[in-house]
Amino acid sequence: MADLCFAIQANDKQLIKKLLPSYAPFYLPQGPDGKVVLVATIREGAVNAEAEGEEIGQFDCGGTNHAIYQLQDGYKVVISTVEGRLACAMKTNADFSHCDIALLGEECDHSFGLGNAMMIAFAFSASYYDTILMHASVTMNKGYGYLFLGKSGTGKSTHSTLWRKFIPGSDLLNDDNPAVRIPADGQALVYGTPWSGKTPCYRNLKMPVGAFLRLEQSPNNEISREAPLRAFASILSSCSTMIWDKPSYNHITHTVEMVVQRVPAFYLKCRPDEEAAQLSYRTISHK
């Protein structure tokens, strides 16, 4: 994923496939063909849910907050469902390249727990390789991916739907957690991932980033290009970050700086209608 590899180890490999069906398009049956940035091991009893070390914050996974504890040489993450049931606990090393995971609570919650653990671990292990995991809806059109940004409820998914309805050739790449990476050739690319919020869309595809579009609900449709500093703030605020983890945060901010230098960003005040979709398409697309 994102031209990076991660491995999940468990005594029962079929259990992994059962718990993580959205990962199927990303499996490598012949083993890794790229850099392995993360190795996760699932073991019963490997981690408990008790407080440990210093509790330093909560990690927001789509409205569900998970407790983060800083240890001497890494982190502990305790993952709970939206209803507050324990689902998983994970310990990582300092750069998230290795982690131990224990599934907790009811079997019906294990898929949620493991999926969230892997998303968190990948977000920060991949940050060391010019990769950012973002909260965005991505629409594909004519070989480019357009990332719609904004707080929950601002209409990211709705704007993607409007493009698919009114802009010929549009399709959805990911509706919640795409990855953006700057590979060696310097071109900003957007990738599908196994995580897509409430919309099942798990595509193992990549393409150049066409533009970023920050959305805000408004009675009028107006669009403008963002200055570099505003673009930096818009993109960074949409990234998965832990500001207290300085190494990963520094890598993420550096990647965002590179992205801003390569890709335009726009601000759309809009209604959820065809006119807004046509306006954004005319302004930001690579026709």
Side-chain angles (χ1 to χ4, degrees):
M1 183 173 56
D3 292 322
L4 301 170
C5 298
F6 62 88
I8 306 175
Q9 301 176 338
N11 291 332
D12 184 357
K13 293 183 180 179
Q14 293 306 313
L15 175 65
I16 299 174
K17 293 184 176 181
K18 178 183 176 182
L19 293 178
L20 302 176
S22 64
Y23 290 50
F26 302 88
Y27 289 152
L28 293 172
Q30 302 303 321
D33 59 359
K35 175 68 179 178
V36 178
V37 302
L38 164 66
V39 177
T41 303
I42 304 171
R43 279 191 304 114
E44 184 177 354
V47 191
N48 60 42
E50 300 301 318
E52 186 175 352
E54 178 187 2
E55 184 171 5
I56 54 173
Q58 299 280 321
F59 186 85
D60 183 358
C61 282
T64 304
N65 292 326
H66 306 316
I68 308 288
Y69 302 90
Q70 187 161 27
L71 308 177
Q72 185 173 358
D73 56 354
Y75 291 92
K76 181 176 184 177
V77 185
V78 179
I79 294 172
S80 301
T81 67
V82 175
E83 298 79 14
R85 298 189 302 272
L86 287 174
C88 178
M90 172 174 68
K91 281 187 177 180
T92 80
N93 62 350
D95 64 2
F96 291 85
S97 61
H98 289 83
C99 61
D100 290 316
I101 296 173
L103 304 177
L104 306 174
E106 302 296 324
E107 288 187 11
C108 61
D109 297 323
H110 289 172
S111 180
F112 176 89
L114 181 57
N116 276 262
M118 293 307 304
M119 182 172 65
I120 293 169
F122 179 82
F124 299 108
S125 61
S127 69
Y128 291 84
Y129 300 91
D130 300 327
T131 302
I132 48 180
L133 194 65
M134 302 193 67
H135 298 291
S137 183
V138 188
T139 294
M140 304 179 285
N141 186 277
K142 297 181 180 178
Y144 287 88
Y146 298 93
L147 288 88
F148 304 146
L149 314 177
K151 297 179 181 179
S152 296
T154 56
K156 300 186 293 294
S157 296
T158 297
H159 204 70
S160 281
T161 299
L162 291 169
W163 270 51
R164 297 198 302 278
K165 183 176 181 180
F166 296 114
I167 309 300
S170 297
D171 202 359
L172 187 66
L173 174 62
N174 185 279
D175 203 34
D176 192 50
N177 288 106
V180 172
R181 188 177 183 216
I182 307 290
D185 65 5
Q187 184 180 39
L189 300 176
V190 59
Y191 299 78
T193 73
W195 313 293
S196 190
K198 297 177 182 178
T199 305
C201 185
Y202 312 111
R203 292 181 161 175
N204 190 0
L205 298 173
K206 65 179 177 181
M207 59 197 57
V209 179
F212 294 90
L213 183 66
R214 179 167 62 94
L215 302 171
E216 181 181 324
Q217 293 181 358
S218 171
N220 301 306
N221 293 320
E222 303 173 9
I223 193 168
S224 59
R225 183 161 179 174
E226 294 193 313
L229 186 59
R230 182 65 248 182
F232 176 87
S234 293
I235 296 170
L236 181 61
S237 65
S238 297
C239 294
S240 294
T241 61
M242 293 196 305
I243 193 169
W244 52 81
D245 184 62
K246 296 305 181 183
S248 69
Y249 191 75
N250 288 341
H251 281 283
I252 289 168
T253 55
H254 176 65
T255 301
V256 173
E257 288 175 1
M258 293 192 293
V259 168
V260 169
Q261 293 168 5
R262 291 160 171 80
V263 182
F266 298 84
Y267 171 41
L268 177 66
K269 298 171 69 175
C270 64
R271 302 185 301 266
D273 58 16
E274 178 182 359
E275 181 185 284
Q278 295 287 359
L279 174 61
S280 65
Y281 174 72
R282 289 196 305 271
T283 306
I284 75 174
S285 69
H286 293 246
K287 301 181 183 66

